[in-house]
Amino acid sequence: MARNITRGLMIGRFQPFHNGHLSLTRQILKECSELIIVIGSAQFNYIYKDPFTAGERMLMIHEALLESLVDLKRCYIIPIANDENNSRWFAYLKSMVPPFNSLYSGNILVTNLTSSSSHKEIRIIEPRYERKTEYNGTSIRRKIASGEKWKKFVPASVYRIIERIDGVYRIRMLSESDSNPQIW
Amino acid sequence: MARNITRGLMIGRFQPFHNGHLSLTRQILKECSELIIVIGSAQFNYIYKDPFTAGERMLMIHEALLESLVDLKRCYIIPIANDENNSRWFAYLKSMVPPFNSLYSGNILVTNLTSSSSHKEIRIIEPRYERKTEYNGTSIRRKIASGEKWKKFVPASVYRIIERIDGVYRIRMLSESDSNPQIW
Amino acid sequence: MARNITRGLMIGRFQPFHNGHLSLTRQILKECSELIIVIGSAQFNYIYKDPFTAGERMLMIHEALLESLVDLKRCYIIPIANDENNSRWFAYLKSMVPPFNSLYSGNILVTNLTSSSSHKEIRIIEPRYERKTEYNGTSIRRKIASGEKWKKFVPASVYRIIERIDGVYRIRMLSESDSNPQIW
Amino acid sequence: MARNITRGLMIGRFQPFHNGHLSLTRQILKECSELIIVIGSAQFNYIYKDPFTAGERMLMIHEALLESLVDLKRCYIIPIANDENNSRWFAYLKSMVPPFNSLYSGNILVTNLTSSSSHKEIRIIEPRYERKTEYNGTSIRRKIASGEKWKKFVPASVYRIIERIDGVYRIRMLSESDSNPQIW
Amino acid sequence: MARNITRGLMIGRFQPFHNGHLSLTRQILKECSELIIVIGSAQFNYIYKDPFTAGERMLMIHEALLESLVDLKRCYIIPIANDENNSRWFAYLKSMVPPFNSLYSGNILVTNLTSSSSHKEIRIIEPRYERKTEYNGTSIRRKIASGEKWKKFVPASVYRIIERIDGVYRIRMLSESDSNPQIW
Amino acid sequence: MARNITRGLMIGRFQPFHNGHLSLTRQILKECSELIIVIGSAQFNYIYKDPFTAGERMLMIHEALLESLVDLKRCYIIPIANDENNSRWFAYLKSMVPPFNSLYSGNILVTNLTSSSSHKEIRIIEPRYERKTEYNGTSIRRKIASGEKWKKFVPASVYRIIERIDGVYRIRMLSESDSNPQIW
């Protein structure tokens, strides 16, 4: 990598992008000169676990960073599909993003894959997640589906986008189609 | 679409094609000039949830329509594989079938995907399913696996085809391989 | 196969369905009780070699058979995607269509694949193609692209469908995008 | 789309990102409030026609925009893989990017696909490409391979990145492996 | 097949290769002149159910056979990916291995697929598995994850390889990432 | 890697396995303790450029090594499919084979991919190919297709296998289907 640039990478499904994610972007931008946000499972959408398209998630992240005055000139936001061959996945990831020095991840699988001899040059950093039980995609989708309050767990811009694209209705529908007997 | 032709589309996995499906074909042919039957999950077979190949299901539908004197000149039967990207799936569907005006589906996901701005020209119609708990693929496969009676839930020709291809044995085998510890 | 039914299968890309194809459907229906028409390369469309979607080709074949008073009760029309593993392709084909006894094909690869020990039960029959240089997809697309007459090489209904979907314009555009330097 | 935001989309392989591309980004940002740059054929790399990975191209575009003082707060840069089913490709594209109003493309296929009834809400705009024969990926790769001058056809930052990753050597190697008899 | 050679095929995921598998290789080499060992689900790795890569499993089998003085000149070890279309899978298998006469499998699905008319030439033989509850991949992985003893269930060379590649740690990590709430 | 074992890897399509390949296996076994032979493009077959299935090629290599008294206890023969993402391909390769120290390849692309920072631990060795214009797959297939002599370019066992599976006829058929106008 050139000219003393250091890059930190974080990865998530961002279904939706919430305050915990936002806070991690700030941590990384303090410790590295540039930030790469990887939108994982980019090919999935319109299922209860993954309600939003990669494009919608891109928009949420972009607008949330803008609104929070995060410097977009220092950020990359990149959608990546899954790979059924985990051992190959990390090479796939590296082919899709600019070179990076640090991977912020508490996921044991990601850590394990990265620590193999081929990727020794990358440092793994355990993120400091705040309020992990509330700033949590699974829990937020559940609240949306059951009509509980969830506004304060996501950036205001994310809330507005979900409203605009009728995301609450979508998540409720999808949660029902998961629990009801399927017709076809 | 040309010359006052209207087409209605129904979609199912047809594992197997049963009397509820047959009754929906009649409803659609009363309301539209032509009927498109889409065989979903076409790539799956020889699993308990999807025991029959797309070719076998094609045959069941064709013979059931013949036997019931449904006018095959007004029918299309088309196998379609799944797409992991739901948002793209509807465009894939449209590339594989003749143009259609109405989609007969009670599935909330299908309805949701179709109602997006790109597909506004298609009407969604909630099908009138008869005797939904009996005319139901899951329940019929369960009866076949456990040795209960199931003959009256499917058209006579479908019953004959399942006998001819040894389908009862196949479904029983598959139900066991699902519940037993796998060896490899 | 049951009850003395014999099925003959023909395969083509049908870009577009022309009089040579129509004439082969008649030959097969004289020699077999049922006909299976397989639309190959079903996943391709909007390229010069494969301008029409599988759905459009389905429509062409259906309407051409109707118009020619071919008995649709005896016909199956089934789209099939390619498989990069040729040796596996024939098994894939068999999983997607009803059982058949005869394969009408002059294509040496198809003949070769089918004659392997696993598929000995299927007879290969060399089709009697009429006026092969005129009733020929490549030559018809070339005529369409260059503004020559082509109407008499396809069934009247196919001609009408191509007009209705602006197919002449599409083929011309695609022929240009093949010969011009691409921009991206 | 919300609050009077208009988005214009441009698509390219960016092998490499050159001055013609840069000039188009400026045109779009004059006419729209936001710009979406789609990196096409994202899955290809290390072939003569597509030497750079999606990640490397991402970096080139990001740095070229920075250097040219283009406002990155108004830009999205998104890699997209090809789809063998062209008719489905546009729906795939829409699932991967934020909503957009205008598509800047002179490619006839793209124009043709977009003009179908499902995508009527999107305006197609013919880009004003400057110096098309020089600002042209094919011609730049050929110059690099044959040792001609090419520096003035790309932004300075793109030139530096290609040097840093040894891109000139890579393109020369790949051009040879295309023209020489392959060994395996 | 030529010159009185008979080949027997066994298939497994070999996660890991254990004494039951080894014993089956001996049975087959008594009954056939050559043995084909197919490593199934070859594309999976770094998941709790499939912790080892195909390459690692290849190594385990090779070294276990060497150590047990099995004659490697009579053995083929071949990794094969899954196929979502089961009916096509057997043709895929046949395209990837030398011709064989006997398939050693107690798996009902495998037996069912093979008994179809296209594969009549292949004999299905029910393997004599010894100590099935102990010589069993699922149970061995569970023991490894929970810290129980497992050394005596696998060949000594397999034990050494798992130690060398830190496989115990890997399996424990993967078992946790399955049971813990996922972060992204 | 353990216990002073060194492994050398060679990769080829082996259409068919010829004397040049055989000679390289000998070179590698002189320089390394074990040899890994990777059958590339494993998914292709029944095309003129790739006439033989991976299984047939496996058989050719196995029998040629046996016949030449190469020690099979020191050899791995492993089929690998291609990957459209070259940059990911090397990671895929590493997931499918035992760890290796040296890669014997004169292919510039392979060399280039391997020399990236992630794979620095692997030595690239330029193979000493003998009689490169004669011991050459393309030239051998051409001779077979045109009826010229080719027997002396391949091991005797390979010659016998090609005869047994009617490979000369297959290659001729495929060479014609490439040069003749296709019918569908």
Side-chain angles (χ1 to χ4, degrees), chain C residues 17-24 130 135 151-156:
Chain C
F17 188 79
H18 55 58
N19 290 333
H21 297 132
L22 182 59
S23 145
L24 180 55
E130 292 173 51
Y135 294 170
K151 191 172 182 172
K152 64 180 174 189
F153 304 127
V154 301

Side-chain angles (χ1 to χ4, degrees), chain F residues 90-132:
Chain F
F90 202 73
Y92 172 51
L93 175 70
K94 292 212 281 192
S95 81
M96 297 300 284
V97 306
F100 58 98
N101 317 71
S102 310
L103 172 62
Y104 287 73
S105 174
N107 186 294
I108 285 160
L109 171 59
V110 171
T111 310
N112 216 249
L113 284 169
T114 319
S115 64
S116 88
S117 64
S118 311
H119 309 296
K120 278 270 160 46
E121 77 280 14
I122 293 167
R123 248 176 88 211
I124 309 294
I125 298 174
E126 173 88 26
R128 291 187 297 279
Y129 278 117
E130 293 172 48
R131 297 168 69 189
K132 223 165 149 169

Side-chain angles (χ1 to χ4, degrees), chain D residues 42-47 53 81 169-170 172-174 176-177 180-184, chain F residues 11-13 40-41 49 82 84-87 106-110 112-113 129 132:
Chain D
Q43 80 270 42
F44 294 120
N45 51 63
Y46 282 86
I47 49 179
T53 66
Y169 176 77
R170 191 191 304 174
R172 264 174 220 169
M173 293 301 100
L174 295 170
E176 283 175 36
S177 86
N180 286 1
Q182 219 190 333
I183 281 152
W184 60 294
Chain F
I11 184 159
R13 287 186 9 256
S41 299
K49 194 185 161 204
N82 296 350
E84 58 178 12
N85 182 332
N86 278 321
S87 187
N107 186 294
I108 285 160
L109 171 59
V110 171
N112 216 249
L113 284 169
Y129 278 117
K132 223 165 149 169

Side-chain angles (χ1 to χ4, degrees), chain C residues 6 12 19 23 28 46 53-54 56 63 67 71 78 80 87 93 96 100-101 103 105 110 146 149-150 161 181 183:
Chain C
T6 57
N19 290 333
S23 145
I28 299 178
Y46 283 86
T53 68
E56 289 165 342
E63 302 229 336
E67 176 188 62
D71 185 0
I78 304 176
I80 307 256
S87 188
L93 176 70
M96 298 299 284
F100 58 98
N101 317 72
L103 172 62
S105 174
V110 171
S146 63
K149 289 192 174 151
W150 56 280
I161 291 169
I183 283 154

Side-chain angles (χ1 to χ4, degrees), chain D residues 4-16:
Chain D
N4 306 325
I5 288 183
T6 58
R7 288 193 195 93
L9 184 146
M10 64 183 274
I11 184 160
R13 290 188 5 259
F14 307 120
Q15 296 281 15

